[in-house]
């Protein structure tokens, strides 16, 4: 299973109610698990690269991982030539967190004003996909659009990123990100 790896994904999986973890390496091209071991830290990933060996590690072109500093370090040491690709979920999570930070800042800044009242109870409406909004949530989002330009801009940036990450053509997505 360790032969011919060029495009791999590394992630952890919890079991026993989130108290125990295994690190899983998948072969993206063959669509199968290539390696599994207990643990979820840099040492675990380094163990994978040790078992893989330097010759096979040199053939790895791309590695998808979450944004764990431990995983980044281990991949950079084990396969320095490989391109590191962060998974969509974690990239989008950063955009959602940034949007929520803007919302909280606006709430603090506008507390006690009509503008502040307009963004009260908007957290979930701002985080949801537009097609999943209930009517009251859509109305809250419309109030944000009318009354709070910084928060609505942050919302549009989050939605634009999600749209770009949904693109099936890497070249088009790359161009959109650079716009």
């Amino acid at each position: 299973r360790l032969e011919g790896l060029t495009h791999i994904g590394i992630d952890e999986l919890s079991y026993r109610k989130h108290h125990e973890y295994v690190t899983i390496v998948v072969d993206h091209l063959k669509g199968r698990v290539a390696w599994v071991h207990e643990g979820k830290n840099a040492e675990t990933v380094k163990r994978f690269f040790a078992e893989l060996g330097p010759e096979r590690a040199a053939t790895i072109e791309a590695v998808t991982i979450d944004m764990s500093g431990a995983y980044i370090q281990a991949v950079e040491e084990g396969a320095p030539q490989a391109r590191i690709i962060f998974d969509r979920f974690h990239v989008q999570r950063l955009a959602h967190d940034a949007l929520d930070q803007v919302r909280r800042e606006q709430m603090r800044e506008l507390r006690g004003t009509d503008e502040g009242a307009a963004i009260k109870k908007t957290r979930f409406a701002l985080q949801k996909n537009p097609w999943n909004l209930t009517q009251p949530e859509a109305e809250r989002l419309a109030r944000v659009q009318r009354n709070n330009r910084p928060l609505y801009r942050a919302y549009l940036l989050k939605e634009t990123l999600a749209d770009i990450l949904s693109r099936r053509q890497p070249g088009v997505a790359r161009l959109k990100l650079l716009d």
Side-chain angles (χ1 to χ4, degrees), residues 103 107 115-123 140 143-144:
R103 183 191 60 78
M107 283 296 294
E115 292 92 353
I119 59 176
K120 196 169 183 110
K121 297 184 180 180
T122 60
R123 181 171 189 247
R140 285 187 197 108
R143 276 197 307 273
V144 167

Side-chain angles (χ1 to χ4, degrees), residues 15-151:
Y15 64 98
R16 290 196 187 161
K17 296 187 181 184
H18 306 287
H19 295 293
E20 306 280 338
Y21 292 88
V22 292
T23 294
I24 302 171
V25 178
V26 296
D27 180 338
H28 284 308
L29 299 182
K30 293 180 182 167
R32 67 179 189 190
V33 173
W35 186 86
V36 178
H37 197 277
E38 284 189 49
K40 67 166 195 164
N41 55 24
E43 294 308 314
T44 308
V45 177
K46 288 178 184 179
R47 184 178 189 138
F48 162 72
F49 284 111
E51 287 184 36
L52 190 62
E55 285 183 21
R56 291 187 291 198
T59 66
I60 295 178
E61 298 173 23
V63 181
T64 57
I65 58 174
D66 60 26
M67 294 182 167
S68 160
Y71 283 6
I72 294 168
Q73 174 195 5
V75 170
E76 287 175 343
E77 288 176 17
Q81 77 290 344
R83 184 172 32 157
I84 294 176
I85 303 165
F86 297 124
D87 70 49
R88 176 190 179 139
F89 172 80
H90 289 87
V91 172
Q92 278 192 247
R93 180 82 257 148
L94 292 177
H96 281 260
D97 292 347
L99 172 62
D100 203 43
Q101 181 178 347
V102 171
R103 183 191 60 78
R104 279 191 245 109
E105 288 171 1
Q106 290 296 300
M107 283 296 294
R108 278 192 299 273
E109 187 178 309
L110 301 171
R111 185 167 295 162
T113 66
D114 290 341
E115 292 92 353
I119 59 176
K120 196 169 183 110
K121 297 184 180 180
T122 60
R123 181 171 189 247
F124 295 109
L126 291 164
Q127 297 290 346
K128 284 175 86 172
N129 290 320
W131 57 88
N132 288 334
L133 292 172
T134 64
Q135 186 61 34
E137 289 168 335
E139 290 169 7
R140 285 187 197 108
L141 192 56
R143 276 197 307 273
V144 167
Q145 181 181 10
R146 286 190 305 271
N147 297 312
N148 194 297
R149 192 175 189 118
L151 182 56

